[in-house]
Amino acid sequence: MLEIDDADAVTEAALRRVAEDPEMPQSERAHAESTVREDTAEAVAFLVDPFDLVGDVPGVELQQASWSSEPVAHDPDAPDWDLDDEFDDGADGKDDGGDGGGISRIG
């Protein structure tokens, strides 16, 4: 989950990135600018390269990345947002440190 405190700042940063991209053809630039202005998730996609995020992680090979967004009301005190419960694997209710094994897909 990503919280965006200033969508305008994210959009402006993405527009700068689009404008400064020397390899982007002019015919694509107008479309990219329009997309970034319409959707903050698209703006983030222009700023964050998923391959850069996991490229140096041993045992991980990124095959595909996608973005989506939806506004949510985040209440950190609400029980639904207590992500620590997902890791309480032991009988004593404490985190057993296990990673669940197998292959994980993050998308």
Side-chain angles (χ1 to χ4, degrees), residues 26 30 81 90 99:
Q26 190 62 34
W81 289 98
D99 65 0

Side-chain angles (χ1 to χ4, degrees), residues 51-74:
F51 290 96
D52 287 344
L53 292 175
V54 297
D56 294 331
V57 178
V60 173
E61 182 178 341
L62 184 63
Q63 297 296 314
Q64 180 180 354
S66 63
W67 299 94
S68 64
S69 67
E70 79 179 74
V72 295
H74 179 240

